[in-house]
Structure formats: C-alpha cells, structure tokens
Coordinates of all heavy atoms in Angstrom, one line a residue:
K301 N 80.5 105.0 129.1 CA 81.9 104.6 129.5 C 82.8 105.9 129.7 O 83.6 105.8 130.5 CB 82.5 103.8 128.2 CG 82.1 102.5 128.1 CD 82.8 101.8 126.9 CE 82.3 100.5 126.5 NZ 82.9 99.9 125.4
H302 N 82.4 106.9 129.0 CA 83.1 108.2 129.2 C 82.2 109.4 129.6 O 81.8 110.1 128.7 CB 83.8 108.6 127.9 CG 84.8 107.5 127.4 ND1 86.0 107.3 128.1 CD2 84.7 106.7 126.4 CE1 86.5 106.3 127.4 NE2 85.8 105.9 126.5
P303 N 81.7 109.4 130.9 CA 80.7 110.4 131.2 C 81.2 111.8 131.2 O 80.6 112.8 131.2 CB 80.3 110.0 132.6 CG 81.4 109.2 133.2 CD 82.0 108.5 132.0
S304 N 82.6 112.0 131.2 CA 83.1 113.3 131.1 C 82.9 114.0 129.8 O 83.1 115.2 129.6 CB 84.6 113.2 131.5 OG 85.4 112.5 130.4
L305 N 82.4 113.3 128.7 CA 82.2 113.9 127.5 C 80.7 114.5 127.5 O 80.4 115.3 126.6 CB 82.2 112.8 126.3 CG 83.7 112.2 126.1 CD1 83.5 111.1 125.0 CD2 84.5 113.3 125.6
I306 N 79.9 114.2 128.4 CA 78.7 114.8 128.4 C 78.6 116.4 128.5 O 77.9 117.0 127.6 CB 77.7 114.1 129.5 CG1 77.4 112.7 129.2 CG2 76.4 114.8 129.6 CD1 76.9 111.9 130.3
P307 N 79.4 117.0 129.4 CA 79.3 118.5 129.3 C 79.9 119.0 128.1 O 79.5 120.1 127.6 CB 80.3 118.8 130.6 CG 80.3 117.7 131.4 CD 80.1 116.4 130.6
L308 N 80.9 118.4 127.5 CA 81.4 118.9 126.2 C 80.3 118.9 125.0 O 80.1 119.9 124.5 CB 82.6 117.9 125.7 CG 83.1 118.2 124.4 CD1 83.8 119.5 124.4 CD2 84.0 117.1 124.0
F309 N 79.5 117.8 125.0 CA 78.5 117.7 124.0 C 77.4 118.7 124.4 O 76.7 119.4 123.4 CB 77.9 116.3 123.9 CG 78.8 115.4 123.1 CD1 79.4 114.2 123.8 CD2 79.1 115.7 121.8 CE1 80.2 113.4 123.0 CE2 80.1 114.8 121.1 CZ 80.5 113.7 121.7
L310 N 77.0 118.9 125.6 CA 76.0 119.9 126.0 C 76.5 121.4 125.6 O 75.7 122.0 125.0 CB 75.8 119.8 127.5 CG 74.9 118.7 128.0 CD1 74.9 118.7 129.4 CD2 73.6 118.8 127.4
C311 N 77.7 121.6 125.9 CA 78.3 123.0 125.5 C 78.2 123.2 124.0 O 77.9 124.3 123.5 CB 79.7 123.2 126.0 SG 79.7 123.4 127.9
I312 N 78.7 122.2 123.3 CA 78.6 122.3 121.8 C 77.2 122.4 121.2 O 77.0 123.2 120.4 CB 79.3 121.2 121.2 CG1 80.9 121.2 121.5 CG2 79.2 121.1 119.7 CD1 81.7 120.0 121.0
G313 N 76.3 121.6 121.9 CA 74.9 121.8 121.5 C 74.3 123.1 121.8 O 73.5 123.7 120.8
V314 N 74.5 123.7 122.9 CA 74.0 125.0 123.3 C 74.5 126.1 122.4 O 73.9 127.0 121.9 CB 74.2 125.3 124.8 CG1 73.9 126.8 125.2 CG2 73.4 124.3 125.6
G315 N 75.8 126.0 122.2 CA 76.6 127.0 121.3 C 76.0 126.9 119.9 O 75.8 128.0 119.3
T316 N 75.8 125.7 119.3 CA 75.3 125.5 118.0 C 73.9 126.1 117.9 O 73.4 126.8 117.0 CB 75.3 124.1 117.6 OG1 76.6 123.6 117.6 CG2 74.7 123.8 116.2
A317 N 73.0 125.8 118.9 CA 71.6 126.3 119.0 C 71.7 127.8 119.0 O 70.8 128.5 118.3 CB 70.9 125.6 120.1
G318 N 72.5 128.4 119.8 CA 72.5 129.9 119.9 C 73.0 130.5 118.6 O 72.4 131.6 118.1
A319 N 74.0 129.9 118.0 CA 74.4 130.5 116.6 C 73.3 130.3 115.5 O 73.1 131.3 114.7 CB 75.7 129.7 116.2
V320 N 72.6 129.2 115.5 CA 71.4 129.1 114.5 C 70.4 130.0 114.8 O 69.8 130.7 113.9 CB 71.1 127.6 114.6 CG1 69.7 127.5 113.9 CG2 72.0 126.7 114.0
Y321 N 70.0 130.3 116.1 CA 69.0 131.2 116.5 C 69.4 132.7 116.0 O 68.6 133.4 115.5 CB 68.7 131.2 117.9 CG 68.0 132.3 118.4 CD1 66.5 132.5 118.2 CD2 68.6 133.5 119.1 CE1 65.9 133.5 118.6 CE2 67.8 134.6 119.4 CZ 66.5 134.6 119.3 OH 65.7 135.7 119.7
Y322 N 70.6 133.1 116.2 CA 71.1 134.4 115.9 C 71.1 134.6 114.4 O 70.8 135.6 113.8 CB 72.5 134.7 116.6 CG 72.9 136.0 116.4 CD1 72.2 137.0 117.0 CD2 74.0 136.4 115.5 CE1 72.6 138.4 116.8 CE2 74.5 137.7 115.4 CZ 73.7 138.6 116.1 OH 74.2 139.9 115.8
I323 N 71.5 133.6 113.7 CA 71.6 133.7 112.2 C 70.1 133.8 111.6 O 69.8 134.6 110.8 CB 72.4 132.5 111.6 CG1 73.9 132.7 111.9 CG2 72.1 132.4 110.1 CD1 74.7 131.5 111.5
L324 N 69.2 133.0 112.2 CA 67.9 133.0 111.7 C 67.2 134.4 112.2 O 66.4 135.0 111.2 CB 67.0 131.9 112.3 CG 67.4 130.6 111.7 CD1 66.6 129.5 112.4 CD2 67.0 130.5 110.2
R325 N 67.6 134.9 113.2 CA 67.0 136.3 113.7 C 67.5 137.3 112.7 O 66.9 138.2 112.3 CB 67.4 136.5 115.1 CG 66.8 137.8 115.5 CD 67.2 138.1 116.9 NE 66.5 139.3 117.4 CZ 66.7 140.6 117.0 NH1 67.6 140.8 116.1 NH2 66.0 141.5 117.5
L326 N 68.8 137.3 112.4 CA 69.5 138.2 111.4 C 68.8 138.1 110.2 O 68.6 139.2 109.4 CB 70.9 138.1 111.3 CG 71.8 138.5 112.4 CD1 73.3 138.2 112.2 CD2 71.6 140.1 112.7
A327 N 68.5 137.0 109.6 CA 67.9 136.7 108.3 C 66.4 137.2 108.2 O 66.0 137.5 107.2 CB 68.0 135.3 108.0
T328 N 65.7 137.2 109.4 CA 64.4 137.6 109.3 C 64.1 138.9 109.9 O 63.1 139.5 109.5 CB 63.5 136.5 110.1 OG1 64.0 136.5 111.5 CG2 63.6 135.2 109.5
R329 N 64.9 139.5 110.7 CA 64.5 140.7 111.3 C 65.5 142.0 110.8 O 65.1 143.1 111.1 CB 64.7 140.7 112.9 CG 64.0 139.6 113.4 CD 62.8 140.2 114.0 NE 61.9 139.1 114.6 CZ 60.9 139.3 115.3 NH1 60.5 140.5 115.6 NH2 60.2 138.3 115.8
N330 N 66.6 141.7 110.2 CA 67.5 142.7 109.8 C 66.9 143.5 108.6 O 66.4 143.0 107.6 CB 68.8 142.0 109.5 CG 69.9 143.1 109.4 OD1 69.8 144.3 109.5 ND2 71.1 142.5 109.3
P331 N 67.0 144.8 108.7 CA 66.4 145.6 107.6 C 67.3 145.6 106.3 O 66.9 146.0 105.3 CB 66.4 147.1 108.1 CG 67.5 147.1 109.2 CD 67.4 145.7 109.8
D332 N 68.5 145.0 106.5 CA 69.4 144.9 105.3 C 69.0 143.7 104.4 O 69.5 143.6 103.2 CB 70.8 144.8 105.7 CG 71.4 146.0 106.4 OD1 70.8 147.1 106.1 OD2 72.2 145.9 107.2
V333 N 68.3 142.8 104.9 CA 67.8 141.6 104.2 C 66.5 141.7 103.7 O 65.6 142.0 104.4 CB 68.0 140.3 105.1 CG1 67.7 139.0 104.3 CG2 69.4 140.2 105.6
T334 N 66.4 141.5 102.3 CA 65.0 141.6 101.7 C 64.7 140.2 101.2 O 65.4 139.7 100.4 CB 65.0 142.6 100.6 OG1 65.4 143.8 101.2 CG2 63.7 142.7 100.0
W335 N 63.6 139.6 101.6 CA 63.1 138.2 101.0 C 62.2 138.4 99.8 O 62.2 137.5 99.0 CB 62.5 137.4 102.1 CG 63.4 137.0 103.2 CD1 63.7 137.6 104.4 CD2 64.4 135.9 103.1 NE1 64.8 137.0 105.0 CE2 65.1 135.8 104.4 CE3 64.5 134.9 102.2 CZ2 66.0 134.8 104.6 CZ3 65.4 133.8 102.5 CH2 66.2 133.9 103.6
N336 N 61.4 139.5 99.9 CA 60.4 139.5 98.8 C 60.3 141.1 98.4 O 59.7 141.9 99.1 CB 59.0 139.1 99.2 CG 57.9 139.0 98.2 OD1 58.3 139.3 97.0 ND2 56.8 138.7 98.6
R337 N 60.9 141.3 97.3 CA 60.9 142.7 96.9 C 59.7 143.1 95.9 O 59.4 144.2 95.5 CB 62.2 143.0 96.0 CG 63.4 142.9 96.8 CD 64.7 143.3 96.0 NE 64.7 144.7 95.5 CZ 65.1 145.7 96.3 NH1 65.5 145.4 97.5 NH2 65.2 146.9 95.8
N338 N 58.9 142.1 95.6 CA 57.7 142.3 94.7 C 56.6 143.1 95.6 O 56.0 144.0 95.1 CB 57.1 141.1 94.2 CG 58.1 140.4 93.3 OD1 58.9 141.1 92.6 ND2 58.0 139.1 93.1
T339 N 56.5 142.7 96.8 CA 55.4 143.4 97.6 C 55.8 144.6 98.3 O 54.9 145.5 98.5 CB 54.9 142.4 98.8 OG1 56.0 142.1 99.6 CG2 54.2 141.1 98.2
N340 N 57.1 144.8 98.5 CA 57.6 146.1 99.1 C 58.8 146.5 98.4 O 59.9 146.0 98.8 CB 57.7 145.8 100.6 CG 58.0 147.1 101.3 OD1 58.0 148.2 100.8 ND2 58.3 147.0 102.6
P341 N 58.8 147.4 97.5 CA 60.0 147.8 96.8 C 60.9 148.6 97.6 O 62.2 148.6 97.2 CB 59.5 148.7 95.6 CG 58.1 149.0 96.0 CD 57.6 148.0 96.9
L342 N 60.5 149.3 98.7 CA 61.5 149.9 99.5 C 61.4 149.4 100.9 O 60.7 150.0 101.8 CB 61.1 151.5 99.5 CG 61.3 152.2 98.2 CD1 60.8 153.5 98.3 CD2 62.8 152.2 97.8
P343 N 61.9 148.2 101.2 CA 61.7 147.7 102.5 C 62.4 148.4 103.7 O 62.1 148.2 104.8 CB 62.4 146.3 102.3 CG 63.4 146.5 101.2 CD 62.8 147.5 100.5
N344 N 63.4 149.3 103.3 CA 64.0 150.0 104.4 C 63.2 151.1 105.0 O 63.4 151.7 106.1 CB 65.5 150.6 103.9 CG 65.2 151.5 102.7 OD1 64.1 151.4 102.0 ND2 66.2 152.3 102.3
Q345 N 62.1 151.5 104.3 CA 61.2 152.5 104.9 C 60.4 151.9 106.0 O 59.8 152.6 106.7 CB 60.3 153.1 103.7 CG 61.1 153.9 102.7 CD 61.9 155.1 103.4 OE1 61.4 155.8 104.2 NE2 63.1 155.2 102.8
E346 N 60.2 150.5 106.1 CA 59.4 150.0 107.2 C 60.1 150.2 108.5 O 59.4 150.3 109.5 CB 59.4 148.5 106.9 CG 58.3 148.0 106.0 CD 58.3 146.6 106.0 OE1 58.5 145.9 107.0 OE2 58.0 145.9 104.8
F347 N 61.4 150.3 108.5 CA 62.1 150.5 109.8 C 62.6 151.9 110.2 O 63.5 152.1 110.9 CB 63.4 149.6 109.7 CG 63.1 148.2 109.7 CD1 62.9 147.4 108.6 CD2 62.9 147.4 110.9 CE1 62.7 146.1 108.6 CE2 62.6 146.1 110.9 CZ 62.4 145.4 109.7
A348 N 61.8 152.9 109.7 CA 62.2 154.3 109.9 C 62.0 154.7 111.3 O 62.9 155.2 111.9 CB 61.3 155.2 109.1

C-alpha cells in the first residue's frame, strides 16, 4: 500500500548492519579489548 517506505527500511537495515559489523570488528580486533587473559597475560604485545 505504501511503496515509498521500502527505501526507508532499506536504508535503516543497511545502517544497522554496518553498525553491528563495526561494533563486532572493534570487539574482536581492537588491541584494547581482551577476551581471555588466562592464555595471554600481555595481549598488547601481540600488536607490536
């Protein structure tokens, strides 16, 4: 009934997917975040 809403939902969906990707990337690749300190007590030395 309202086809003009389709681009709005597409833009919101793409923006949400991009934000989720970036947050997950920061959580897994950033040297400031440590998930397991038992196996590597100095994780910042990995990224020298």
